[in-house]
Amino acid sequence: MLGVLGVPTGRRVQVPEDSATEVTAAGIARLAGVGRAAVSNWRRRHADFPKPVGGTDTSPSFSLAEVERWLRDQGKLAEVPLRERVWQQLAGHPAGTVAGLVHTGCVLLLLRERAPGLAALTALPDERLADALPGALEEVLTVRLGVPRAVRTPTAAELAPAVPLLRAAAELAAELGGPRQCFEFLLGRHLDANPRQYTLTPPPLAELMATLAAAATADAGDPPATVFLDPASGTGGLLRAAAHPAELALQDADPELAALSALRLALHGDADIRSAAGDTLRGDAFPALRADTVLAHPPFNERAWGHDELAYDPRWEYGFPARTESELAWVQHALARLRDGGTAVLLMPPAVASRRSGRRVRADLLRRGALRAVVALPAGAAPPYGIPLHLWVLVRPAPDRRPPAEALFVDTAGLAPDAGRDKLPWTTLQNAVLDAWAGRAADGSVARAVPVIELLDDEVDLAPARYLAAPDAGGSATELAAVRDRLDETLRRTLGAVPRPVPTPPEPRPLTTVGELARTGALRLHTGGQGTAPAGREVPVLTEHDVLTGAAPSGTLPEAADGQAEEPVLVAEGDVVVPVLGGGPSARVVDAATAGAALGRSLQLLRPDPAALDPWFLAGFLRGTANNRQASSFASTATRLDVRRLQLPRLPLADQRRHGVQYRALADFEEALRLAARLGEQLVQGLYDGLADGSVRSG
């Protein structure tokens, strides 16, 4: 049976021998189902291993066709899932991964909109298919993306080398459930592979911003928003969270991002898409637009935003922003593109709320009723992750509505103390913000409505923490007393468990390595860091930090695009987990409470056969300092552990278990020390806070 682009469904797509697709050492490792070290060994040991055709000396790339042929001849070629094959073809696109994504997105949009019309194209050979596609693509792009349009129709010459990729992507769309799911998978894979190139708005935050904007619209008595604008669209995540849009307008300074976000949104729904590439502040593509809602995560701290050439721009209704206040330029741009009474929600760095250079603009926003709320988020909500960012809720003043006498301030930092970016309780945060907006949070610790007249002082400082009651950081006197009692009990137990070293004469023992044990089947090795969670399901992740500190799994798997989850490695009771990047000698035996978590990045899992290896014996010997030193490689900035080179004695299972009892007792003592340290820090900080505010005294 043929797929819509002439690809036999249900089979792996083979790359033509003359394909220009290249693959890195990491890609070869995935093809063969081995680690990168194995690929390095093959290159050294096999004279016939394919020579590099690109890349650099430190990161060479190879012809995918030559690598496949060599692996097949050596009997090392694993059965690669279709999604992995398509990703490799995309990553090896001659014009770059992003260009390949755009071409793939265009064809997937054609598949979504005109699947029956492709019947005449399916039987065409590659060259004729490349010639026929531009006309069909131009027609569907014109209908769906309108004017202006950030997506240029690719030419036949541009499509020709990508035809195998396009055929494979069509088959993948059928496998994943549709063109939208296929594009989300490929885009997500690209973003994960290049985390430093893009500033992303996490989906839960995008949902919070869109929901808050909808609540503000409903509160004003207006009908639900149908026209949305994002003037700094990035990958389109904010507009993707908009509910039931009829029209979506977007602009981004990066032409590639503007094209990707336009295609993503066109594949996501049926709204009319208007998109443009270019600097929004200097060259606004939508000067006549009056949107119902603006959602934006603009760039922060830009000095070259156009201060000099935009001095007389009509958008500065609330005052000309200072050179250092690019964010207030974005705020006023958003207000200028709203209809009267329309709502905007912008993500802002916290400094915008209090910098002296912006106080006049902030004051006018308050006086005229344009700024309705400032919401402080916990650190980790969005990049830069170390800063607690703010949400500004703005409404364009309408001539027939009186400006409100109060502004709302919300501080959610106390709802997620030290949660980190992977563990923020987004449902709790969203409920708290929406309750505050609806007037259901009146205790003064999370939200407070402040009269505008009280805000218009010399500073016009709009940081929410300034207007909310500070939480009791250390706890009440009763809570501190309970901490002290628990610390006292822990210290007594720890003192009684202090191990006593007893000298024994060393005895020679035959050694084996983890690699040899893996080859004989005494244990299995797994590498962490892969996998996604099914939609709507949270899967905890055991991170490197958790292993080093003995903490519970603190990470969370990213949610799969449209439910197409990639199975992660899940830890089981009795597994031994070892960090491989410069954390010092460490190994953790997984207990029942940790079992079921996904294995995080930079971790190696050893799953011993209980009939051959005792897990505590294994973990104990893996923690030896000398053992780790001889199994590590040293670079200029990091140390990497080769787990396969770690050594341990060859002992009968009964002797292993006797050693294991001692190692387990040592691990219990180590955990008691960690608990005592945490309780001590909590007690000391609580006493500092209590003495400072007069709520406790030291007895």
Side-chain angles (χ1 to χ4, degrees):
M1 179 179 177
L2 292 180
V4 293
L5 290 186
V7 180
T9 59
R11 295 173 53 192
R12 288 193 299 126
V13 179
Q14 297 297 323
V15 179
E17 289 294 310
D18 60 351
S19 171
T21 301
E22 298 176 12
V23 63
T24 63
I28 297 173
R30 285 193 293 267
L31 278 170
V34 299
R36 291 186 63 176
V39 177
S40 298
N41 287 335
W42 293 342
R43 292 185 64 196
R44 288 194 300 266
R45 294 168 53 190
H46 296 279
D48 61 340
F49 191 88
K51 303 301 181 186
V53 296
T56 64
D57 290 341
T58 56
S59 181
S61 59
F62 307 83
S63 164
L64 178 57
E66 292 180 8
V67 166
E68 278 193 319
R69 186 167 55 247
W70 187 88
L71 290 173
R72 192 178 295 109
D73 293 343
Q74 297 289 327
K76 302 179 185 295
L77 184 62
E79 184 70 18
V80 182
L82 177 61
R83 62 179 64 190
E84 183 65 36
R85 176 59 58 106
V86 175
W87 167 250
Q88 289 170 1
Q89 291 178 262
L90 180 62
H93 191 283
T97 305
V98 175
L101 266 174
V102 172
H103 296 168
T104 303
C106 290
V107 171
L108 290 173
L109 183 59
L110 179 62
L111 176 61
R112 180 186 189 271
E113 301 294 324
R114 307 285 172 85
L118 289 179
L121 300 178
T122 57
L124 296 176
D126 286 359
E127 184 176 352
R128 292 187 60 193
L129 180 58
D131 289 336
L133 276 175
L137 293 177
E138 174 63 23
E139 182 180 348
V140 77
L141 291 174
T142 300
V143 171
R144 282 306 316 276
L145 301 186
V147 178
R149 192 178 94 195
V151 183
R152 179 181 59 81
T153 302
T155 65
E158 292 170 328
L159 291 173
V163 166
L165 164 64
L166 303 179
R167 292 186 185 274
E171 183 184 0
L172 182 60
E175 179 179 293
L176 296 182
R180 171 170 57 98
Q181 293 88 335
C182 179
F183 190 74
E184 288 291 332
F185 165 73
L186 295 173
L187 176 62
R189 190 74 176 265
H190 173 65
L191 297 177
D192 288 344
N194 302 276
R196 296 185 179 181
Q197 293 185 21
Y198 303 99
T199 300
L200 304 179
T201 308
L205 177 57
E207 180 183 350
L208 170 59
M209 293 172 67
T211 305
L212 182 56
T217 300
D219 188 54
D222 293 337
T226 59
V227 180
F228 294 80
L229 166 69
D230 185 345
S233 64
T235 58
L238 281 176
L239 292 183
R240 190 171 177 266
H244 310 298
E247 181 180 336
L248 298 173
L250 62 97
Q251 184 170 354
D252 197 274
D254 186 330
E256 292 180 336
L257 285 180
L260 288 176
S261 54
L263 289 167
R264 185 184 195 190
L265 294 169
L267 285 162
H268 183 69
D270 296 319
D272 293 333
I273 311 297
R274 300 168 64 190
S275 57
D279 187 320
T280 296
L281 295 181
R282 288 189 175 92
D284 181 16
F286 305 102
L289 179 66
R290 293 298 175 262
D292 298 317
T293 297
V294 174
L295 301 172
H297 177 175
F300 299 160
N301 303 317
E302 283 195 326
R303 295 298 181 97
W305 59 268
H307 177 270
D308 295 339
E309 58 263 47
L310 298 175
Y312 301 101
D313 195 288
R315 288 172 290 182
W316 315 142
E317 296 182 44
Y318 304 88
F320 182 37
R323 189 183 303 275
T324 56
E325 296 288 353
S326 63
E327 296 86 1
L328 291 179
W330 285 100
V331 164
Q332 295 192 72
H333 173 81
L335 287 166
R337 294 297 159 261
L338 286 170
R339 61 165 174 79
D340 290 346
T343 303
V345 179
L346 274 68
L347 188 66
M348 296 275 105
V352 183
S354 55
R355 279 194 297 245
R356 288 187 60 83
S357 55
R359 64 189 187 279
R360 292 184 180 178
V361 174
R362 294 195 299 270
D364 208 36
L365 289 169
L366 288 168
R367 287 192 192 98
R368 297 175 58 182
L371 179 57
R372 298 296 178 85
V374 178
V375 179
L377 300 169
Y385 289 105
I387 299 175
L389 301 175
H390 290 175
L391 294 178
W392 281 30
V393 182
L394 303 128
V395 174
R396 180 173 177 82
D400 58 342
R401 297 178 186 176
R402 295 183 59 185
E406 296 178 324
L408 177 68
F409 293 90
V410 185
D411 191 349
T412 64
L415 303 177
D418 304 320
R421 58 183 286 190
D422 295 326
K423 289 293 287 183
L424 287 179
W426 281 108
T427 301
T428 301
L429 295 176
Q430 179 167 312
N431 290 339
V433 173
L434 295 179
D435 284 349
W437 182 265
R440 294 193 293 267
D443 64 355
S445 63
V446 174
R448 180 187 168 203
V450 180
V452 169
I453 193 64
E454 295 183 13
L455 302 170
L456 298 176
D457 55 15
D458 290 340
E459 300 295 329
V460 197
D461 190 336
L462 305 184
R466 181 170 179 173
Y467 304 100
L468 299 173
D472 191 352
S476 66
T478 302
E479 291 170 333
L480 289 177
V483 172
R484 183 195 181 282
D485 291 343
R486 190 179 176 198
L487 175 60
D488 185 67
E489 177 189 350
T490 303
L491 288 173
R492 293 177 186 275
R493 178 162 52 87
T494 305
L495 185 61
V498 175
R500 186 183 302 276
V502 178
T504 57
E507 56 183 64
R509 291 176 291 196
L511 298 176
T512 186
T513 65
V514 168
E516 185 177 348
L517 291 171
R519 285 193 294 272
T520 61
L523 59 79
R524 285 183 290 164
L525 292 172
H526 298 278
T527 301
Q530 303 296 324
T532 54
R537 179 185 162 202
E538 188 173 286
V539 178
V541 175
L542 184 68
T543 68
E544 181 183 19
H545 180 266
D546 301 333
V547 174
L548 294 172
T549 62
S554 62
T556 303
L557 274 185
E559 188 171 301
D562 299 288
Q564 301 299 324
E566 291 186 66
E567 194 66 30
V569 176
L570 302 181
V571 301
E573 188 172 3
D575 287 346
V576 178
V577 179
V578 180
V580 296
L581 287 181
S586 184
R588 174 169 172 174
V589 179
V590 176
D591 57 13
T594 306
L599 187 67
R601 296 182 185 276
S602 303
L603 294 176
Q604 190 94 36
L605 181 144
L606 292 75
R607 181 162 291 162
D609 179 353
L613 280 174
D614 177 77
W616 286 101
F617 163 80
L618 175 62
F621 275 95
L622 297 188
R623 284 199 58 173
T625 302
N627 199 6
N628 273 258
R629 185 178 295 119
Q630 64 84 28
S632 297
S633 58
F634 301 92
S636 58
T637 58
T639 303
R640 185 173 186 88
L641 180 69
D642 184 350
V643 175
R644 291 177 174 270
R645 291 170 53 191
L646 288 169
Q647 299 176 339
L648 63 159
R650 294 181 183 271
L651 293 178
L653 188 57
D655 291 344
Q656 292 181 35
R657 288 173 176 161
R658 281 194 292 272
H659 280 281
V661 170
Q662 297 180 50
Y663 284 126
R664 185 164 194 166
L666 198 57
D668 290 342
F669 174 66
E670 182 180 33
E671 179 54 35
L673 288 176
R674 288 193 182 114
L675 176 59
R678 291 195 297 268
L679 292 171
E681 290 174 1
Q682 185 179 352
L683 179 61
V684 169
Q685 188 60 52
L687 287 172
Y688 270 119
D689 294 343
L691 289 169
D693 63 21
S695 61
V696 300
R697 63 182 179 85
S698 180

